[in-house]
mmCIF file with all atom_site columns, all heavy atoms in Angstrom:
data_model
loop_
_atom_site.group_PDB
_atom_site.id
_atom_site.type_symbol
_atom_site.label_atom_id
_atom_site.label_alt_id
_atom_site.label_comp_id
_atom_site.label_asym_id
_atom_site.label_entity_id
_atom_site.label_seq_id
_atom_site.pdbx_PDB_ins_code
_atom_site.Cartn_x
_atom_site.Cartn_y
_atom_site.Cartn_z
_atom_site.occupancy
_atom_site.B_iso_or_equiv
_atom_site.pdbx_formal_charge
_atom_site.auth_seq_id
_atom_site.auth_comp_id
_atom_site.auth_asym_id
_atom_site.auth_atom_id
_atom_site.pdbx_PDB_model_num
ATOM 1  N N   . GLU W 1 4  ? 70.261 138.366 129.125 1.00 81.00 ? 4  GLU W N   1
ATOM 2  C CA  . GLU W 1 4  ? 71.697 138.312 129.346 1.00 81.00 ? 4  GLU W CA  1
ATOM 3  C C   . GLU W 1 4  ? 72.003 137.718 130.728 1.00 81.00 ? 4  GLU W C   1
ATOM 4  O O   . GLU W 1 4  ? 72.877 136.860 130.877 1.00 81.00 ? 4  GLU W O   1
ATOM 5  C CB  . GLU W 1 4  ? 72.269 139.711 129.229 1.00 81.00 ? 4  GLU W CB  1
ATOM 6  C CG  . GLU W 1 4  ? 73.774 139.697 129.110 1.00 81.00 ? 4  GLU W CG  1
ATOM 7  C CD  . GLU W 1 4  ? 74.285 141.039 128.632 1.00 81.00 ? 4  GLU W CD  1
ATOM 8  O OE1 . GLU W 1 4  ? 73.465 141.840 128.155 1.00 81.00 ? 4  GLU W OE1 1
ATOM 9  O OE2 . GLU W 1 4  ? 75.488 141.262 128.748 1.00 81.00 ? 4  GLU W OE2 1
ATOM 10 N N   . PHE W 1 17 ? 79.047 123.146 137.413 1.00 82.00 ? 17 PHE W N   1
ATOM 11 C CA  . PHE W 1 17 ? 78.786 121.705 137.548 1.00 82.00 ? 17 PHE W CA  1
ATOM 12 C C   . PHE W 1 17 ? 79.798 120.878 136.782 1.00 82.00 ? 17 PHE W C   1
ATOM 13 O O   . PHE W 1 17 ? 80.183 119.792 137.208 1.00 82.00 ? 17 PHE W O   1
ATOM 14 C CB  . PHE W 1 17 ? 77.364 121.381 137.101 1.00 82.00 ? 17 PHE W CB  1
ATOM 15 C CG  . PHE W 1 17 ? 76.372 121.590 138.182 1.00 82.00 ? 17 PHE W CG  1
ATOM 16 C CD1 . PHE W 1 17 ? 75.511 122.673 138.152 1.00 82.00 ? 17 PHE W CD1 1
ATOM 17 C CD2 . PHE W 1 17 ? 76.297 120.731 139.250 1.00 82.00 ? 17 PHE W CD2 1
ATOM 18 C CE1 . PHE W 1 17 ? 74.601 122.880 139.154 1.00 82.00 ? 17 PHE W CE1 1
ATOM 19 C CE2 . PHE W 1 17 ? 75.388 120.934 140.255 1.00 82.00 ? 17 PHE W CE2 1
ATOM 20 C CZ  . PHE W 1 17 ? 74.531 122.015 140.220 1.00 82.00 ? 17 PHE W CZ  1
ATOM 21 N N   . LEU W 1 25 ? 85.227 113.140 139.344 1.00 80.00 ? 25 LEU W N   1
ATOM 22 C CA  . LEU W 1 25 ? 85.873 112.067 138.571 1.00 80.00 ? 25 LEU W CA  1
ATOM 23 C C   . LEU W 1 25 ? 87.260 111.778 139.124 1.00 80.00 ? 25 LEU W C   1
ATOM 24 O O   . LEU W 1 25 ? 87.700 110.633 139.163 1.00 80.00 ? 25 LEU W O   1
ATOM 25 C CB  . LEU W 1 25 ? 85.957 112.504 137.107 1.00 80.00 ? 25 LEU W CB  1
ATOM 26 C CG  . LEU W 1 25 ? 86.667 111.562 136.147 1.00 80.00 ? 25 LEU W CG  1
ATOM 27 C CD1 . LEU W 1 25 ? 85.844 110.324 135.954 1.00 80.00 ? 25 LEU W CD1 1
ATOM 28 C CD2 . LEU W 1 25 ? 86.921 112.219 134.835 1.00 80.00 ? 25 LEU W CD2 1
ATOM 29 N N   . ARG W 1 27 ? 88.282 112.529 142.299 1.00 78.00 ? 27 ARG W N   1
ATOM 30 C CA  . ARG W 1 27 ? 88.349 112.278 143.732 1.00 78.00 ? 27 ARG W CA  1
ATOM 31 C C   . ARG W 1 27 ? 87.733 110.962 144.167 1.00 78.00 ? 27 ARG W C   1
ATOM 32 O O   . ARG W 1 27 ? 88.184 110.344 145.114 1.00 78.00 ? 27 ARG W O   1
ATOM 33 C CB  . ARG W 1 27 ? 87.627 113.413 144.468 1.00 78.00 ? 27 ARG W CB  1
ATOM 34 C CG  . ARG W 1 27 ? 88.542 114.515 144.894 1.00 78.00 ? 27 ARG W CG  1
ATOM 35 C CD  . ARG W 1 27 ? 87.855 115.427 145.866 1.00 78.00 ? 27 ARG W CD  1
ATOM 36 N NE  . ARG W 1 27 ? 87.638 114.789 147.151 1.00 78.00 ? 27 ARG W NE  1
ATOM 37 C CZ  . ARG W 1 27 ? 87.087 115.399 148.185 1.00 78.00 ? 27 ARG W CZ  1
ATOM 38 N NH1 . ARG W 1 27 ? 86.697 116.638 148.069 1.00 78.00 ? 27 ARG W NH1 1
ATOM 39 N NH2 . ARG W 1 27 ? 86.913 114.776 149.326 1.00 78.00 ? 27 ARG W NH2 1
ATOM 40 N N   . SER W 1 46 ? 76.660 120.449 130.798 1.00 83.00 ? 46 SER W N   1
ATOM 41 C CA  . SER W 1 46 ? 76.683 120.677 129.354 1.00 83.00 ? 46 SER W CA  1
ATOM 42 C C   . SER W 1 46 ? 75.318 121.059 128.847 1.00 83.00 ? 46 SER W C   1
ATOM 43 O O   . SER W 1 46 ? 75.180 121.920 127.969 1.00 83.00 ? 46 SER W O   1
ATOM 44 C CB  . SER W 1 46 ? 77.177 119.420 128.650 1.00 83.00 ? 46 SER W CB  1
ATOM 45 O OG  . SER W 1 46 ? 78.441 119.084 129.141 1.00 83.00 ? 46 SER W OG  1
ATOM 46 N N   . VAL W 1 58 ? 66.835 132.164 121.150 1.00 83.00 ? 58 VAL W N   1
ATOM 47 C CA  . VAL W 1 58 ? 65.430 132.574 121.205 1.00 83.00 ? 58 VAL W CA  1
ATOM 48 C C   . VAL W 1 58 ? 65.324 134.087 121.319 1.00 83.00 ? 58 VAL W C   1
ATOM 49 O O   . VAL W 1 58 ? 64.533 134.730 120.604 1.00 83.00 ? 58 VAL W O   1
ATOM 50 C CB  . VAL W 1 58 ? 64.733 131.875 122.391 1.00 83.00 ? 58 VAL W CB  1
ATOM 51 C CG1 . VAL W 1 58 ? 63.370 132.480 122.644 1.00 83.00 ? 58 VAL W CG1 1
ATOM 52 C CG2 . VAL W 1 58 ? 64.604 130.400 122.124 1.00 83.00 ? 58 VAL W CG2 1
ATOM 53 N N   . LEU W 1 77 ? 68.931 122.480 120.803 1.00 84.00 ? 77 LEU W N   1
ATOM 54 C CA  . LEU W 1 77 ? 68.023 121.651 121.601 1.00 84.00 ? 77 LEU W CA  1
ATOM 55 C C   . LEU W 1 77 ? 68.194 120.180 121.237 1.00 84.00 ? 77 LEU W C   1
ATOM 56 O O   . LEU W 1 77 ? 68.301 119.306 122.108 1.00 84.00 ? 77 LEU W O   1
ATOM 57 C CB  . LEU W 1 77 ? 66.585 122.107 121.363 1.00 84.00 ? 77 LEU W CB  1
ATOM 58 C CG  . LEU W 1 77 ? 65.539 121.339 122.147 1.00 84.00 ? 77 LEU W CG  1
ATOM 59 C CD1 . LEU W 1 77 ? 65.686 121.671 123.627 1.00 84.00 ? 77 LEU W CD1 1
ATOM 60 C CD2 . LEU W 1 77 ? 64.149 121.672 121.672 1.00 84.00 ? 77 LEU W CD2 1
ATOM 61 N N   . ALA W 1 93 ? 75.499 101.446 130.298 1.00 83.00 ? 93 ALA W N   1
ATOM 62 C CA  . ALA W 1 93 ? 76.218 100.354 129.635 1.00 83.00 ? 93 ALA W CA  1
ATOM 63 C C   . ALA W 1 93 ? 77.573 100.141 130.279 1.00 83.00 ? 93 ALA W C   1
ATOM 64 O O   . ALA W 1 93 ? 77.979 98.996  130.528 1.00 83.00 ? 93 ALA W O   1
ATOM 65 C CB  . ALA W 1 93 ? 76.377 100.672 128.149 1.00 83.00 ? 93 ALA W CB  1
#
Side-chain angles (χ1 to χ4, degrees):
Chain W
E4 194 165 346
F17 276 107
L25 177 69
R27 266 193 70 178
S46 303
V58 169
L77 181 69

